[in-house]
Amino acid sequence: MDISYFQKINNTYKSKSRQETDLYLLNRHVDECFADTIDYHVVKRNGKPFELLIIKDTDNNTFKKKIKSRPSEPFNLGDYIEWNNQIWLVTLVNTDDKTYHSGYMYLCTVPLRWQNSEGKIIERYVFAEDYTKYSNGVTGNNTITIGDNQYGLTLPVDDETKKLKRDMRFPMDFDDSEQPDIYKLTNRKVKLSDNQYFGRGGTMVVTMSFDAFNTNEDKKVVMENGQEVWICNYNNSATPLPPTPPEPDETTDLRCVISGNTNLKNGYYRKFTATFMDTDENAVDWQSVDYQWNIKSDFDVKQTITDNKITISVNDENLIGGSFLVQIVVGEAVLSEVKVNIVE
């Protein structure tokens, strides 16, 4: 049959082949009959109305649903789907989208909350799995820390979640707990499911390991919607978090980096070194700088200063879980500072 005649009788003038014409007809049929099934639902995708087919999976996993959308309306990895008074996360997208757009979504059961560098409370709902059996710990100095009471969390990749780093702490308990269970981020996998390079979103997986509650830094705060929630390492000041030194002004063209391990074992010593440079990143002799070391703390921290180095120690088991600041001060300005955590 002549392709032009076939295009004419099927009103598919934009197609270039019989295959494209057949595909166009199929998609048109799919689009016309999309709502004619019991699996059809109008949901919210990232807060906006969206049409989906939500299909029970063959393995009877109630936390997992197969989804399909119209040929002209794709969804992406990391999309939030609000359906059945629940929040679901799209974790798999089939990029072979000749007809339906298809994939899978998993039920989110955990709200993950933290305070960002501007002081704003961030909330993301995540799909949670028990990772304790996998013993996903951290390694260092040839010693393996075996995973204990661990969660694996899947969450979308966005501007806020990209900033999540190891050793950040999160409450994972009931909001009305008097002293909630705290978990620390010990591992992150950001490239296991990443379709961002061709515009289809992405998800990441982070491992959370059980940590200690800190009465000085973990606070219950009120969110904008009036809900009371726990936030780790909460700072109620207007200063960005974590504390960042001010940019050099016209009175000083110095920059400073304080280097050293920021985990201080109780009863042990830790050394920090101050390195100075100008705004062009050229090294500046520390002996030519009129500066001071400063310890900002509510408790006693032993310190010894030698050249451009400071050695500090804390010997009090009651302070485990606490923290303090080590600063370089020039005049009245804090040129640089690091937060030191006291650990066992």
Side-chain angles (χ1 to χ4, degrees):
M1 180 183 295
D2 180 47
I3 185 63
S4 60
Y5 175 73
F6 193 82
Q7 292 170 330
K8 180 178 180 180
I9 64 175
N10 289 285
N11 190 24
T12 57
Y13 291 102
K14 293 183 180 180
S15 62
K16 299 179 182 179
S17 65
R18 174 67 181 271
Q19 182 186 39
E20 286 189 10
T21 299
D22 289 341
L23 184 59
Y24 178 86
L25 293 174
L26 176 60
N27 284 339
R28 189 166 64 187
H29 175 73
V30 167
D31 197 58
E32 291 173 351
C33 302
F34 189 79
D36 299 338
T37 171
I38 195 173
D39 295 323
Y40 172 81
H41 299 274
V42 177
V43 301
K44 284 187 177 181
R45 170 180 171 256
N46 299 330
K48 297 180 179 180
F50 193 72
E51 296 175 287
L52 269 185
L53 300 183
I54 302 177
I55 305 163
K56 179 181 178 181
D57 200 51
T58 54
D59 60 4
N60 292 320
N61 184 350
T62 57
F63 288 83
K64 171 185 175 185
K65 299 293 182 184
K66 187 174 183 178
I67 54 177
K68 294 183 178 182
S69 66
R70 294 180 182 272
S72 59
E73 298 179 0
F75 52 83
N76 298 320
L77 281 173
D79 282 349
Y80 281 120
I81 304 297
E82 296 178 48
W83 169 70
N84 199 29
N85 296 319
Q86 297 169 319
I87 298 176
W88 299 71
L89 179 68
V90 177
T91 58
L92 180 64
V93 170
N94 184 354
T95 55
D96 184 10
D97 52 4
K98 291 184 177 65
T99 52
Y100 293 100
H101 294 279
S102 63
Y104 282 89
M105 66 180 188
Y106 279 77
L107 179 63
C108 296
T109 56
V110 176
L112 194 68
R113 305 183 182 103
W114 69 96
Q115 188 177 28
N116 70 6
S117 59
E118 286 75 41
K120 181 180 179 181
I121 303 301
I122 305 300
E123 180 181 68
R124 294 290 184 271
Y125 274 78
V126 303
F127 169 64
E129 299 175 89
D130 184 4
Y131 268 24
T132 302
K133 59 185 178 182
Y134 300 120
S135 295
N136 291 317
V138 295
T139 62
N141 299 326
N142 298 320
T143 301
I144 299 178
T145 302
I146 299 300
D148 181 26
N149 294 336
Q150 292 187 327
Y151 284 104
L153 306 181
T154 303
L155 62 161
V157 175
D158 58 39
D159 290 341
E160 292 293 346
T161 60
K162 285 180 181 179
K163 300 175 185 177
L164 297 179
K165 301 297 181 184
R166 290 174 176 84
D167 293 332
M168 290 180 65
R169 301 166 61 252
F170 303 84
M172 295 184 65
D173 207 334
F174 302 111
D175 291 336
D176 58 356
S177 297
E178 293 185 5
Q179 184 171 309
D181 285 347
I182 305 298
Y183 283 76
K184 180 169 65 175
L185 198 160
T186 55
N187 198 13
R188 58 196 292 267
K189 303 286 187 181
V190 299
K191 291 297 182 181
L192 292 177
S193 187
D194 185 8
N195 291 349
Q196 293 183 97
Y197 70 96
F198 57 95
R200 297 301 301 273
T203 59
M204 67 169 67
V205 178
V206 298
T207 302
M208 298 288 183
S209 301
F210 188 71
D211 197 53
F213 178 78
N214 188 317
T215 56
N216 295 321
E217 297 191 351
D218 304 333
K219 306 294 183 183
K220 180 169 278 192
V221 301
V222 180
M223 298 180 66
E224 292 181 358
N225 60 5
Q227 183 180 5
E228 281 191 330
V229 299
W230 284 98
I231 300 294
C232 289
N233 302 98
Y234 180 72
N235 188 319
N236 59 3
S237 70
T239 305
L241 294 177
T244 55
E247 291 293 326
D249 56 28
E250 60 184 3
T251 63
T252 177
D253 59 357
L254 281 174
R255 296 180 182 273
C256 179
V257 174
I258 301 175
S259 55
N261 192 321
T262 56
N263 285 333
L264 173 63
K265 290 185 178 182
N266 180 57
Y268 287 75
Y269 292 91
R270 183 70 68 196
K271 181 181 292 185
F272 294 90
T273 302
T275 303
F276 297 93
M277 63 201 74
D278 60 23
T279 53
D280 295 324
E281 307 296 330
N282 298 313
V284 174
D285 186 357
W286 64 269
Q287 295 180 347
S288 65
V289 181
D290 184 13
Y291 73 96
Q292 290 182 332
W293 287 98
N294 181 57
I295 304 295
K296 189 175 180 180
S297 172
D298 295 330
F299 45 83
D300 181 51
V301 178
K302 295 181 181 179
Q303 54 184 289
T304 302
I305 298 174
T306 305
D307 296 333
N308 62 329
K309 298 176 174 59
I310 186 172
T311 302
I312 60 176
S313 66
V314 172
N315 192 8
D316 187 345
E317 292 185 353
N318 295 323
L319 297 177
I320 293 175
S323 63
F324 58 92
L325 298 177
V326 176
Q327 302 174 326
I328 289 291
V329 178
V330 174
E332 296 182 356
V334 177
L335 196 61
S336 181
E337 66 183 11
V338 293
K339 181 179 178 182
V340 179
N341 301 303
I342 304 172
V343 299
E344 293 187 46

